[in-house]
Amino acid sequence: MRKSNPFSNFGGMKVNQQLTGVTSYVAGRQGDDELRLDALIDRIHELTLAEASPPRHSIAESVSAPSPRPMMANFISCQPDSWVPIEPDTLTAGGLTGGEGEALILKVLNSRAEATGRCLSEQLKLAFRLIDPLLQTMKQDRLVAHKGSAAMNDYTYQLTEMGRERARKCAEHCTYCGSAPVPLRDYIDSVKRQSLTSEQPTEEDLQRAFEDLMINHEMLLRLGTAINSGRGMFLFGAPGNGKTSIAERITKAFGETIWIPRALSIEGEIMRLFDPGVHEVAPLPENHSVLDSRKVDNRWIRIRRPTIVVGGELTMEHLEVSLNRVTNVSEAPVQLKSNCGTLVIDDFGRQRMTTDQLLNRWIVPLEKRYDFLNLANGTKIQVPFDQLIVFSTNLEPKSLVDDAFLRRIPYKIEVIDPDEQSFRQLMKTMAAKMEVEYDEAAVDYLLDKHYRAANRKLRCCQPRDLILQILNFCRYTKKPAKLTPENFDFAVGNYFAVL
C-alpha cells in the first residue's frame, strides 16, 4: 500500500500560493523582529528613566517634546532655574549645512592619517547619527574611503586623493577643525535666557557671595541694590580696602552656571567664544542611569558664570574682534566672553587707552545693552552686551569721566577704610586662618606705636599682609608663629618701609 503524498490534496496553483505565503511570512518575520528589537530598546529606555527620575519632572519628557522652532537651538530645563541646550535632530536644525559639515570632516581627516566615524563625532561635538549619513555621502563622492571596519557598525575613514585636495582648499579659507560652530542667532537667544537681569539676588545670596569678606550691613545694602539692577557700578576708594575682592565675588550672587557655545558661526566666519583662560568649566553631574537621556548638545559647554578682570593691560584691541591671520579664526572680544557674568575694569584710569576712548566705545552699549562688532570680512554684527560692568578705581570718578558717562553708571559706591573694631576682627580672623597665635596685647601695641603715633590709616589688606610677614619670619628663624610686639616691629619695618 503506497503512502500518500502530503501535498497531493493541493493543486499546482495552491502550491504556488502556499510558497508565496511562506516567502512573505519570512520577510514579515524579519521586519517584526526589527520592530520588536526597537520596541524592546525603547521599553528599556523608558524603564531606566522611570527609575532614575520622578515622572513629572523627567528630563526625558522635556527632551522628547517637539521643538516649536526647528531652526533654532532647542533647550530643556534641568532645574527650575537652569536649562541646557539639546542636540539637534538634523544638521539644518543645528544651523549647519552639509557643505560646512563636510569641510570640517575633511580638515579633521587631513590633520590625521585616519579616524573612525565616532572619533569624528567626538571631535566635532556632533551626534554620530548626524555624522554617519554625511560620511556615506562623502564616500559615494569618492572624498573618503573605508580603510576597515570598526565597532558598533562604524568604519575607519581616510581621505582619498580627491578628498585631500578638497581639504587643502578648505584649509586655505580657514584651518578651524574643532567643535562645529553654533549660529549667532542661537547664542543671542541663549543670552536672553541666562541674562543677569532676569535674576534678583536677595540679601541671603549676597551674604553667601561675600561670606569670606568682612562687609558691614550698610555696604551690603548698597551693593545689593546695585547688583539687582544688573547695570554698571563704580567702586572707588583708597587702595587696599578690597575693591577688587568685592568685584570678583559679585557674580556668586547670581546663578552658578551658564551654557556658552565653544565657537560661533557668523556670516561664514568662525569665532572662538570659549576661552579656558577666563572660563571655568562646570561639567554636568554624573549620570548613573544605563542610558543617558539628557541629549546635551556638546557644541555648548557648561561654565561657571564668568568673572573677567582686566587692568592696566586693557587696550582698544581687546574690545574688538581679533583675527589670527595664520588660521583665519576670529577671537571674541572680552565683553562678549563676559556676557551673563561680570566684567571688572580694575585700576580704571590707568589703562593704556584713555578714559575718553573707553567712554566713546561703550557709551551706547552701556545704555542699550547691545554692541556692534566688525568682522574681518567687513560685516558689522549686533551682539548682546549683557554683563555687570564694575569699574574699580583709587581715583575720584569725577576726575576720570564726564557727566554723560557717569549717568550711564548709576551706582557709585565708596569702599571706606575699616574702623578699629573691624581692623581687630580682621586681625583675629586672618591669624586663625594662617594658624598664627593671636595676642590682643600685641595688637594694642601695633595700633598705638605704628598707627596712632605715625598717624597711619587703617586698610583692610594690612592684617593679612602683616601676619603673612610674621609667619614667614617665624618660619625662617624657627620660632613659634605668634603675634608679639617684636614680630610686629619687624613686619612693619618691611611693609611700611616706603609708605
Side-chain angles (χ1 to χ4, degrees):
M1 190 171 179
R2 291 186 305 173
K3 294 183 179 179
S4 61
N5 189 339
F7 292 102
S8 62
N9 294 330
F10 296 96
M13 183 178 296
K14 289 183 178 181
V15 171
N16 291 336
Q17 291 175 349
Q18 185 73 8
L19 292 174
T20 303
V22 170
T23 305
S24 301
Y25 172 76
V26 172
R29 283 295 302 271
Q30 291 176 347
D32 291 343
D33 289 343
E34 293 180 358
L35 291 175
R36 289 192 185 98
L37 180 59
D38 291 341
L40 179 60
I41 293 175
D42 290 342
R43 182 56 179 161
I44 294 173
H45 191 67
E46 292 174 1
L47 292 174
T48 305
L49 295 179
E51 182 181 356
S53 59
R56 290 189 179 182
H57 302 284
S58 171
I59 295 176
E61 293 178 5
S62 301
V63 173
S64 60
S67 170
R69 292 185 296 173
M71 293 299 293
M72 295 290 288
N74 304 307
F75 306 101
I76 58 172
S77 294
C78 281
Q79 299 172 353
D81 59 345
S82 63
W83 54 272
V84 299
I86 63 172
E87 64 184 27
D89 294 328
T90 63
L91 288 177
T92 303
L96 291 169
T97 65
E100 290 172 332
E102 178 183 290
L104 287 171
I105 291 175
L106 288 172
K107 286 185 286 187
V108 173
L109 286 175
N110 193 42
S111 64
R112 304 181 180 185
E114 60 190 42
T116 65
R118 297 188 187 279
C119 286
L120 293 169
S121 170
E122 177 64 25
Q123 175 75 13
L124 303 183
K125 306 301 181 184
L126 290 172
F128 177 69
R129 59 187 175 81
L130 303 181
I131 292 288
D132 190 48
L134 195 55
L135 286 167
Q136 300 307 319
T137 302
M138 294 173 66
K139 183 179 182 299
Q140 293 175 3
D141 294 340
R142 299 182 180 179
L143 297 175
V144 299
H146 289 171
K147 183 180 179 181
S149 60
M152 302 178 67
N153 198 28
D154 194 5
Y155 297 93
T156 301
Y157 294 90
Q158 61 183 9
L159 290 178
T160 63
E161 193 60 38
M162 184 186 303
R164 200 168 298 280
E165 181 63 27
R166 183 80 63 85
R168 281 195 291 265
K169 291 181 179 180
C170 292
E172 288 176 1
H173 171 68
C174 176
T175 62
Y176 180 82
C177 58
S179 168
V182 173
L184 176 62
R185 65 176 182 270
D186 291 355
Y187 172 64
I188 294 174
D189 185 55
S190 74
V191 172
K192 291 178 182 178
R193 293 170 181 265
Q194 304 174 105
S195 174
L196 289 178
T197 57
S198 63
E199 299 194 24
Q200 296 178 336
T202 63
E203 185 175 356
E204 291 75 17
D205 294 326
L206 262 71
Q207 288 175 346
R208 170 177 52 81
F210 301 115
E211 61 184 356
D212 59 336
L213 296 180
M214 185 176 296
I215 300 179
N216 60 46
H217 180 72
E218 183 180 354
M219 171 67 77
L220 202 65
L221 188 63
R222 292 178 180 273
L223 285 171
T225 305
I227 292 171
N228 256 282
S229 72
R231 304 288 297 276
M233 74 173 78
F234 265 110
L235 290 178
F236 66 98
N241 281 334
K243 296 184 297 299
T244 303
S245 298
I246 292 173
E248 290 175 342
R249 287 162 175 78
I250 286 176
T251 313
K252 293 182 180 179
F254 297 93
E256 292 185 1
T257 61
I258 61 170
W259 289 85
I260 64 170
R262 299 172 188 269
L264 293 173
S265 174
I266 311 171
E267 301 292 337
E269 301 290 329
I270 294 180
M271 179 191 299
R272 295 184 189 271
L273 182 63
F274 172 65
D275 184 352
V278 297
H279 294 142
E280 182 183 354
V281 179
L284 281 171
E286 184 178 355
N287 185 25
H288 297 287
S289 64
V290 177
L291 299 176
D292 193 345
S293 64
R294 293 174 292 188
K295 293 186 178 180
V296 175
D297 188 347
N298 290 320
R299 297 178 301 165
W300 298 68
I301 186 167
R302 186 172 182 253
I303 64 169
R304 300 198 180 279
R305 282 194 183 268
T307 299
I308 299 180
V309 182
V310 292
E313 75 280 3
L314 182 66
T315 63
M316 187 62 73
E317 286 73 19
H318 292 105
L319 308 181
E320 303 294 344
V321 177
S322 59
L323 176 67
N324 187 320
R325 297 292 179 181
V326 177
T327 63
N328 283 333
V329 179
S330 298
E331 187 75 18
V334 65
Q335 69 270 24
L336 203 63
K337 293 178 180 180
S338 65
N339 271 336
C340 301
T342 305
L343 177 58
V344 182
I345 313 298
D346 202 14
D347 286 332
F348 180 61
R350 304 185 189 278
Q351 279 69 37
R352 294 166 61 185
M353 60 190 299
T354 66
T355 55
D356 289 339
Q357 287 178 312
L358 186 60
L359 164 64
N360 294 332
R361 177 64 182 82
W362 276 356
I363 194 168
V364 173
L366 281 169
E367 185 166 357
K368 301 295 185 180
R369 301 192 73 82
Y370 59 78
D371 192 13
F372 288 98
L373 299 175
N374 294 311
L375 300 181
N377 61 8
T379 305
K380 178 173 285 190
I381 59 171
Q382 180 178 321
V383 296
F385 190 86
D386 192 286
Q387 65 280 107
L388 189 64
I389 302 287
V390 180
F391 297 92
S392 174
T393 179
N394 302 331
L395 309 174
E396 179 67 31
K398 280 188 176 181
S399 65
L400 296 173
V401 294
D402 58 19
D403 292 341
F405 192 76
L406 289 174
R407 181 175 62 83
R408 288 166 172 80
I409 309 294
Y411 296 93
K412 298 89 176 172
I413 302 174
E414 183 179 8
V415 183
I416 60 176
D417 296 336
D419 56 21
E420 185 175 319
Q421 181 180 357
S422 299
F423 187 87
R424 289 177 180 272
Q425 184 59 44
L426 281 171
M427 188 71 71
K428 184 178 295 185
T429 301
M430 295 310 301
K433 184 175 293 187
M434 296 185 187
E435 298 182 353
V436 175
E437 184 180 344
Y438 182 78
D439 186 355
E440 191 71 35
V443 177
D444 291 339
Y445 171 83
L446 171 70
L447 292 172
D448 288 337
K449 181 176 180 180
H450 296 292
Y451 280 91
R452 298 189 186 97
N455 196 25
R456 183 174 283 130
K457 294 184 178 180
L458 302 174
R459 297 282 190 265
C460 291
C461 66
Q462 291 168 356
R464 176 201 62 197
D465 295 343
L466 290 173
I467 293 178
L468 188 60
Q469 292 259 0
I470 291 176
L471 181 61
N472 292 330
F473 173 71
C474 292
R475 284 174 177 172
Y476 177 72
T477 57
K478 297 182 180 181
K479 294 180 178 180
K482 183 178 180 180
L483 301 185
T484 64
E486 295 78 14
N487 288 343
F488 271 129
D489 287 339
F490 179 84
V492 168
N494 283 337
Y495 191 70
F496 292 110
V498 293
L499 297 178

